[in-house]
Every structure is written in structure tokens, then in C-alpha cells.
Amino acid sequence: MEKLLDLISVEVTKAFVTAGYDEKYGKVTLSNRPDLCEFQCNGAMTAAKDYKKAPFMIADAVAEVLTGNEMFSSVESVKPGFLNLKLSEKYLSEYLNAMQAADRLGVEQPGHGETVIVDYGGANVAKPLHVGHLRSAIIGESIRRMGQFMGYRTIGDVHLGDWGLQMGLIIEELRERQPDLVYFDESYSGAYPEEAPFTIGELEEIYPAASKKSKEDEAFSERAHQATLKLQQGYAPYRAIWEHIMRASKADLKKNYDNLDVHFDLWKGESDADPYIPGLIQNLMDQGLAYESQGALVVDIAEETDSKELPPCIVRKSDGAALYATSDLGTILERERDFSPAEYVYVADKRQQLHFTQVFRVAKKAGFVKPETKMINVGFGTMNGKDGKPFKTRDGGVMRLETLIADINEAVFARIMANREIGEEEAREIAKVVGLAALKYGDLSNQASKDYIFDIDRFISFEGNTGPYILYTIVRIKSILKKYAEAGKPAEGRKILPAGGAEEKDLMLETAKFNSVAETAFSETAPHRICAYIYDLANALNRFYHATKIMAEEDEQVQAGYIRLLELTKEILETEIALLGFSAPDRM
């Protein structure tokens, strides 16, 4: 279904041509003065230079052509040469009825099944998820859902950190704690135990202890490096320990990601890229792209159009070790083999921007991906406390993600119990739903690249630009629809009627933006655009609600029209929050 702005632009373009001017001047935008009009066209201002005429003369001529057009209730030429437009209430209601009847509310699917890899999550195994993992997880999940809604085959990959020094550190710490384990008996030749020699809780304590020890004990640090090397070379006992670590960590990570309603299609890690690394390095050397520099192997990535000097990408260190860039290039080769995606989206801390610039350019330069393949890095800012510094626990430590979620749920529960007469069990369940909305909306409503202040009190408020406010609006609509159904009113034959008041028309204009917002949000990988839209839509709904006696309306046809508009608004809000990764309860 065509977007409303496009349809309006078509009519205005026709009018420019009829009046004797080029079609390129007919683009229409939303008005930046909604107190004066709903849409505007500034084409006459530009045309004036080309046709050497006063802009108001051109605008007058186009307005005259548009006068009487059934699409508009008002067309005004305003000096020095603006076209101010108001949409016909009848045309708008017909558009919304068509939208409501259309599949997926008229949103087209430009993806046509093309594959998009969304790389997000980025957790390290053997470590608990903490608040630093939040943004990647929920931004990536939203982008994956938006892409799916737009008709792409979106594949989410957690891309675990599972192949680095932390593995050697764990192995060596385990050796010191339990030296009698068969994994450390060089004469042992039997099968290795199926049960891990540690719990996930013990594992999460082992790593930080080993990390601390490596900073104080040079010999321990060297043994950990050697253990890492032996693991990566395929040493069977260490591979068996690694598999125990992976099973325990993945189970715990999945549980915590499930609590965030974040899901991955692939649970790949850096280890999966390892088999590709020797071949890709040889390929880079054979093409003459990789060369030695101070003992390391590097690839130049600078381009003439760069505004600043960019360093080469190191693909092999002087000691022969591969780096994150090498691992990411190996992962790209694996993804090309398995999926041949049309687009890659990497969601990671914006401080990694140089890394992704290097990786993308090497991949293109070496021909690992096709020239037309899109490669995007969605770089996000930090989540800060009220002091403006990265969010910490009260004692200054890094907060576990499950602790953060529990704190928000508890705060929402307390607010529900203070303001409502509701059973504790039901309040707990509602608090989980509302708490998740508060957390995700609080993050996603900010442009990803910007830092933001994490403020629980503000995020869980039922007023203002918050997740609970959006949910409360949906619950309000559900309550009205329930009352209407309980009154025994007919469910069939309802349609949206031309607006009878300003608040009703404002709500209708907001609902008509849905397909445009859905498309723009994914094309810009920008969940915050959805948040901004549903906040405006919720505000419009609540203004309409306060200005209109919906259930007291005596004209049943008018009342049915109100209900139909509420149903459309609810469907849009529920669709959009699903793309953000949360849902609404039936009551709050």
C-alpha cells in the first residue's frame, strides 16, 4: 500500500506539471507549522530560481490547479511561496479503512526474502551478562525483528567470545584447584567425563580469580597463554574442558537472554571462525594485499576520500597470533559460505568503529563479499548512571544484568501495589511485562549512538515518554473495547468515518504514518524512530480520549467509527512494541 505522503506528492506533482512547471518540484513533507497546516510543499521556492519568477506566482498557479481536488479540504498559497495543505477528512478516513483492511496494515515488504545477518549480543563465555551487554542485545533484537517485519530473512547471531585468553586462564586456574582431574594427567587415554568439573556459579568465580592472578603472577600468565595456544591447536584434554565451559555458559546465557526476550538464530563464536583463518591469511598474501610491518602482517585500508588517516588492519601479530579482526574476517567467510547475505549489521560499542571500518574494507578489498553487499556498524553509546559515569552498582562494581532486571521489576511491582487494588501474584506477572517495557523503551528511545542516563524512577513512570506510558495507553484502549463488546454492540460492519473534530483528525493523521515509519526505522537501523512515533501516537490517542465521550456517544454509527479507529490504533501500537521487543498486559 502506498504511503500517504507519496500519494499526496503525486497529486501535487501533477498540479505542478499542469501549471507548466517541472515535476521535480512536487515533493510534499509534513508541515513544520502544524498550527497552520498538515502538509507543505516548498517546491515553488526552488522553481522560482529556475523559472525566474516570484515564488508566490508559481505557488498561486499550483494552488489554483489543486483547488477542488477531493484529496484536500484546504489548499493555500502563502507568501513568499509556500503551499499549505490540509487533507480531506473523507479522503483520510478512506485511506485508514483501506489500511485496516490491507495485509499487515498496508506495510509493504521491500526485503523480498533477502538475507540480513544481524550480529549482536557479543557475550563472553564463562562470564555473567552485565549491564554492558544490555544495549547490544536489545538494539540488535529490535533490528532483527524490524528486518523480519519488512520481509527480510534476518538471521541473528550472538557471536560469542569463546576462543581467547580467558579459556587458558580458566584451564590453568582449574589445574591449580583440582590438579588430580584427568584432563591434567598426560598419561590418561580414556574418554573424558560428560559431567563438568564445575558449576556455572563456580565457573563465574574461577575466571575473575584467574584474571586477577595473571596480573600478579607472570609465570601463571605465561602458562595461561600456553594453555590457550594448546587449546587452539586442538589439544584433546583442553578441548574437553572447553566443551564443558561452552555447554554451561550457553545454558546460562540463553536463560538470561530469554529474560530479556532476546533470541538468536545462531550461537556461533570466535572458535567457529578459526578453521578459516589460515586460508584467509594466505589469500590476502597471494593477492598482494597483506604485507609485513614491524613483524606483523597488515592490510592497508586507507582510501583517498578519507577525512583522516586510518591505520592498516593487523591480521596477524608478530608472534603469529590472530586478532579480533582476523576472527571477524573468518566469520564473514563462514557466513558467505552458509548464507551469502545481502547485508551485514553489526551492533557494537561505538568505540569499535575503527575496527569495523578496517574489517569491512578488508572484506571488500579482498573480495570476501560482493561489492554491492551492505555492511553496517550500528555503534552505540554508553548507559550511564545519574552521575554521568558508566552505570555501576552502589559499591562501584559492574552490575549483573539479571540484578538490573530484578531491580526494575521490583520497583514496578511496588508502584503497582501502591496505586492499584490487585493481587500480589498478578501484580508480579504484570511487573515483569511492564518492567521489560520500561527497560527496553528507556534504552531504545534514545538514538543508539548517544550516551544516556539510566534512571529507574523515570523509566518506570506511567507518565511521559516511557514504556509504561505506552503500555498504559494500550491498556486504556483494551478497556474501552471490552466495555463496548460487553454492551452487546455489533462487531461487524464498522468503519472509520470522516473526523468530526480536531483531536480525532490528529489521531487519524498519526495512524496514517505507520507504514512510512516502519520502513524508515529499518532502513536507518533506528529503533528510536519507532519509539518517537508511538509516543506521538499515544499522545494523540489520549487527547482524543479526553476530548470525546466515546462510550456515551448516542449515534451508534459514529460510536462504531470511534471504536474502529481505536482498534486500528491498538493494532499499530501492539505491532510496533513487538518490533521493539516487548508486549502489553491486559490491565495495569
Side-chain angles (χ1 to χ4, degrees):
M1 183 173 175
E2 287 192 73
K3 296 184 280 293
L4 183 60
L5 261 179
D6 291 344
L7 292 169
I8 298 171
S9 290
V10 166
E11 290 302 307
V12 175
T13 296
K14 287 179 186 176
F16 267 94
V17 172
T18 301
Y21 302 102
D22 193 279
E23 63 181 18
K24 67 182 179 182
Y25 303 112
K27 184 180 179 182
V28 174
T29 61
L30 291 171
S31 173
N32 56 20
R33 287 289 306 276
D35 55 320
L36 298 177
C37 60
E38 296 157 357
F39 303 92
Q40 66 185 62
C41 175
N42 302 338
M45 303 294 289
T46 308
K49 299 173 186 175
D50 297 337
Y51 288 92
K52 296 179 174 52
K53 281 186 178 182
F56 76 87
M57 295 176 65
I58 299 173
D60 283 350
V62 175
E64 187 176 346
V65 174
L66 287 172
T67 300
N69 188 309
E70 292 185 354
M71 179 179 279
F72 305 105
S73 62
S74 169
V75 178
E76 286 186 304
S77 170
V78 180
K79 288 185 177 180
F82 301 115
L83 274 174
N84 288 356
L85 308 167
K86 288 186 179 179
L87 209 59
S88 154
E89 285 77 4
K90 182 173 182 294
Y91 182 88
L92 179 57
S93 65
E94 289 173 350
Y95 182 85
L96 295 186
N97 282 313
M99 180 176 156
Q100 200 157 32
D103 185 37
R104 297 157 31 83
L105 296 178
V107 176
E108 296 181 357
Q109 293 187 303
H112 301 299
E114 286 188 336
T115 299
V116 176
I117 298 285
V118 186
D119 185 315
Y120 61 109
N124 290 313
V125 300
K127 300 180 188 178
L129 287 178
H130 57 76
V131 293
H133 295 110
L134 178 69
R135 300 212 71 190
S136 176
I138 64 177
I139 294 169
E141 177 70 13
S142 180
I143 291 171
R144 183 187 69 81
R145 292 180 182 216
M146 289 192 297
Q148 200 167 37
F149 186 68
M150 297 311 296
Y152 293 89
R153 179 195 178 203
T154 53
I155 298 173
D157 186 357
V158 69
H159 196 68
L160 297 169
D162 66 349
W163 205 231
L165 178 60
Q166 81 262 33
M167 294 303 173
L169 289 168
I170 292 168
I171 289 169
E172 282 306 305
E173 180 68 14
L174 194 61
R175 182 199 299 276
E176 292 201 355
R177 295 184 181 202
Q178 302 183 62
D180 295 333
L181 290 174
V182 295
Y183 311 97
F184 307 121
D185 180 356
E186 293 186 4
S187 65
Y188 183 78
S189 59
Y192 293 102
E194 291 186 10
E195 188 174 340
F198 43 72
T199 65
I200 185 63
E202 290 168 340
L203 185 60
E204 290 176 356
E205 186 273 324
I206 286 172
Y207 172 71
S211 180
K212 182 175 184 292
K213 189 179 293 184
S214 71
K215 295 178 177 67
E216 301 165 350
D217 185 339
E218 192 173 326
F220 178 84
S221 178
E222 178 56 30
R223 291 198 301 273
H225 276 90
Q226 291 304 313
T228 303
L229 184 61
K230 289 181 76 172
L231 167 67
Q232 294 177 352
Q233 290 173 343
Y235 183 55
Y238 292 178
R239 282 286 179 133
I241 294 173
W242 177 80
E243 286 170 2
H244 287 314
I245 295 170
M246 292 300 293
R247 279 195 292 271
S249 290
K250 281 185 178 180
D252 189 62
L253 287 169
K254 284 179 180 177
K255 179 190 73 175
N256 282 285
Y257 279 125
D258 282 349
N259 288 339
L260 273 178
D261 202 4
V262 168
H263 310 283
F264 302 94
D265 304 288
L266 302 175
W267 282 80
K268 296 282 189 174
E270 292 168 359
S271 59
D272 293 287
D274 194 60
Y276 295 85
I277 289 176
L280 81 84
I281 288 177
Q282 189 62 50
N283 183 311
L284 292 171
M285 293 171 66
D286 291 345
Q287 291 192 63
L289 296 174
Y291 65 93
E292 276 203 18
S293 175
Q294 298 179 344
L297 199 65
V298 305
V299 178
D300 286 329
I301 56 105
E303 296 177 356
E304 289 182 4
T305 54
D306 292 335
S307 59
K308 61 181 179 180
E309 188 175 345
L310 296 178
C313 178
I314 303 173
V315 293
R316 189 176 65 198
K317 289 166 59 176
S318 56
D319 63 2
L323 292 94
Y324 285 126
T326 331
S327 173
D328 279 344
L329 288 166
T331 299
I332 287 170
L333 288 176
E334 182 183 35
R335 289 167 175 170
E336 285 293 316
R337 184 200 69 180
D338 294 344
F339 305 109
S340 189
E343 184 173 343
Y344 289 87
V345 179
Y346 290 78
V347 183
D349 190 307
K350 66 182 179 182
R351 289 170 290 189
Q352 296 186 45
Q353 183 179 5
L354 174 60
H355 165 80
F356 286 107
T357 299
Q358 291 175 322
V359 169
F360 295 168
R361 289 191 181 183
V362 172
K364 288 287 181 79
K365 202 171 182 179
F368 295 163
V369 299
K370 295 182 284 292
E372 65 272 20
T373 300
K374 290 177 67 177
M375 306 189 84
I376 299 168
N377 168 217
V378 179
F380 55 80
T382 55
M383 184 178 92
N384 298 324
K386 292 181 182 179
D387 60 359
K389 297 176 181 178
F391 194 82
K392 301 280 186 183
T393 59
R394 289 180 182 176
D395 60 5
V398 177
M399 181 177 281
R400 293 177 68 128
L401 196 51
E402 60 186 323
T403 303
L404 180 72
I405 294 171
D407 286 352
I408 285 190
N409 289 350
E410 194 61 37
V412 173
F413 170 74
R415 183 156 294 192
I416 291 173
M417 293 301 290
N419 297 321
R420 296 283 184 275
E421 291 183 3
I422 189 171
E424 183 174 334
E425 186 177 347
E426 184 182 4
R428 290 278 180 200
E429 291 303 312
I430 293 173
K432 287 181 185 178
V433 177
V434 178
L436 186 62
L439 180 64
K440 287 193 169 185
Y441 190 92
D443 187 298
L444 295 173
S445 57
N446 300 278
Q447 188 172 335
S449 61
K450 294 182 177 178
D451 301 345
Y452 75 94
I453 301 296
F454 185 85
D455 184 344
I456 287 185
D457 292 335
R458 182 170 66 83
F459 286 2
I460 67 171
S461 174
F462 285 25
E463 298 175 354
N465 189 10
T466 68
Y469 171 70
I470 304 298
L471 298 193
Y472 189 73
T473 301
I474 295 171
V475 169
R476 168 171 276 168
I477 298 173
K478 286 182 177 182
S479 175
I480 297 169
L481 297 180
K482 183 180 178 183
K483 289 177 183 175
Y484 185 80
E486 288 173 348
K489 301 296 179 74
E492 302 299 326
R494 297 194 297 268
K495 66 177 183 177
I496 296 171
L497 302 178
E503 292 82 7
E504 185 178 8
K505 189 176 186 185
D506 286 346
L507 175 57
M508 293 167 73
L509 287 166
E510 285 297 331
T511 60
K513 296 175 185 175
F514 171 60
N515 52 5
S516 177
V517 170
E519 186 174 315
T520 301
F522 180 70
S523 67
E524 296 180 3
T525 54
H528 73 277
R529 294 208 177 276
I530 290 179
C531 294
Y533 170 60
I534 60 176
Y535 179 55
D536 287 344
L537 182 57
N539 282 337
L541 181 283
N542 286 310
R543 285 193 297 269
F544 169 66
Y545 169 81
H546 289 297
T548 312
K549 292 183 171 65
I550 298 171
M551 292 307 297
E553 173 59 52
E554 295 181 357
D555 186 319
E556 291 202 354
Q557 191 175 16
V558 171
Q559 187 184 53
Y562 292 159
I563 294 299
R564 196 68 173 145
L565 179 57
L566 292 184
E567 289 172 336
L568 176 59
T569 305
K570 170 179 165 290
E571 188 171 355
I572 291 171
L573 287 170
E574 289 182 326
T575 299
E576 294 284 44
I577 65 172
L579 299 184
L580 296 176
F582 56 91
S583 58
D586 289 329
R587 65 172 182 155
M588 286 170 67

